[in-house]
Amino acid sequence: MALKDVYELPAAADMHVHLRNAPGPIAELVTPTIRKAGVDTVFVMPNLAPKPVVSVAEALEYKAQLQAIDPSVNYLMSLYLHSSITPDEIREAKKAGIAGVKAYPKGATTNSQWGVVSFDPFHEVLKTMEEEGIVLNLHGEVPSNASEGVTVMNAESKFLPVLKNLVDKYPRLKIVLEHCTTADAVETVRSFGENVVGTITAHHLSLLVDDWSANVNNYCKPSAKSPEDRKALLNAAVHSKGKFFLGTDSAPHDVSAKKGKGNTAAGVFTQPYALGYVLTAFEEALARGDLSSPEEITEESLAGFFSIYGRNFYNISQATQKIRLTREGQTILDSLKGEGAEIVPFRAGEKTWGVEWL
């Protein structure tokens, strides 16, 4: 069973991207690939190093630096939930158009060393976010801890009680559980009201634990898990009804960080080919029986997952441009090379869907 050969859809919105420090060699290399994927709007992560984005001024400066690289993209900016952030900063963020505040559990992923140990000290900040309508974006894992039985395989499921406590305590707070990887996460997000949603990456619709355990370019946090979890993600994406939308968590690292000495960096780079990866994952799922029929995958469902649902949740305008996706219209590069950086994309060397702006 196959998908159609061509789809015409509204331009996509990718609600979770890493573009790294700008100006900088990785940002210069990957930011121009956003529109290459058929995306015109991105929600930009704030976990820069050596210092995350913790103020409105820093967020606006970062946005200006990204606009200097490619002014044709709509960059939705975020702050990093940090002890220095006050309710007044949140109010200023609302006035400045900052879209969300990202919470990283301390030690859970890349550049999370400044992250959250407990949400209790942030009560006034979270209440202000609830009042102002600013989104709380959650990296939904607890840090690995062998003595407590926590590994990358169950870190997300063990975080879900934290999510429930936040929803109970701040019932009007808009929350995104980022990059869902488990059936547990899908079920939990579905159990809450319309102010709690989840994003799903392109690569988690394809990968399993065996894929990243053998290939550093497939390793990310949160990590891909079981066939049952992948099936739940696929069905959540296809039957989203607004509860799930695209957030690729495209995370570029130089090859030296992926294959050099020491632990490999967590992150899968998908930015230039994001929509094609999703369509390929759907087609592979149909062949396995994880999705029952190509009729499930309509232009309406694709438009929702790729574009409409995310824009609705963040209260931004719908796309005014359209794109055409064509089967096997391009080949994924073996690597992207720029001055001072080389990045290997997901599924390098494979055929994928071509993208044309209409």
Side-chain angles (χ1 to χ4, degrees), residues 261-332:
K261 295 180 180 179
N263 293 341
T264 188
V268 176
F269 179 56
T270 56
Q271 198 73 69
Y273 311 102
L275 308 188
Y277 290 137
V278 173
L279 294 181
T280 297
F282 287 165
E283 201 147 51
E284 292 172 345
L286 287 167
R288 288 192 307 269
D290 285 348
L291 294 172
S292 60
S293 169
E295 281 71 39
E296 295 179 273
I297 305 164
T298 63
E299 291 195 349
E300 180 181 8
S301 67
L302 291 173
F305 181 72
F306 285 152
S307 185
I308 296 170
Y309 300 149
R311 296 176 198 269
N312 283 344
F313 188 78
Y314 282 94
N315 293 319
I316 63 172
S317 299
Q318 293 298 325
T320 57
Q321 286 187 281
K322 299 195 76 173
I323 55 172
R324 179 183 294 125
L325 302 172
T326 305
R327 179 189 301 281
E328 295 193 348
Q330 61 180 324
T331 300
I332 299 167

Side-chain angles (χ1 to χ4, degrees), residues 166-228:
L166 287 168
V167 174
D168 289 344
K169 195 169 184 178
Y170 309 100
R172 294 182 295 107
L173 180 62
K174 298 183 77 171
I175 298 175
V176 180
L177 183 62
E178 304 278 2
H179 42 50
C180 298
T181 64
T182 60
D184 288 344
V186 169
E187 181 179 357
T188 300
V189 168
R190 281 180 170 150
S191 73
F192 297 129
E194 62 183 13
N195 60 310
V196 181
V197 299
T199 57
I200 297 175
T201 78
H203 54 280
H204 284 119
L205 295 173
S206 294
L207 293 175
L208 298 176
V209 57
D210 290 354
D211 298 310
W212 62 258
S213 65
N215 185 337
V216 294
N217 293 312
N218 292 338
Y219 173 65
C220 59
K221 297 288 293 293
S223 301
K225 298 179 175 67
S226 73
E228 294 77 17

Side-chain angles (χ1 to χ4, degrees), residues 108-139:
T109 190
T110 303
N111 297 338
S112 62
Q113 60 266 42
W114 309 283
V116 173
V117 175
S118 167
F119 284 96
D120 291 343
F122 296 99
H123 173 68
E124 293 302 322
V125 168
L126 293 170
K127 286 293 293 181
T128 306
M129 289 173 60
E130 186 178 37
E131 292 164 3
E132 296 290 339
I134 288 186
V135 175
L136 175 64
N137 303 85
L138 295 173
H139 181 108

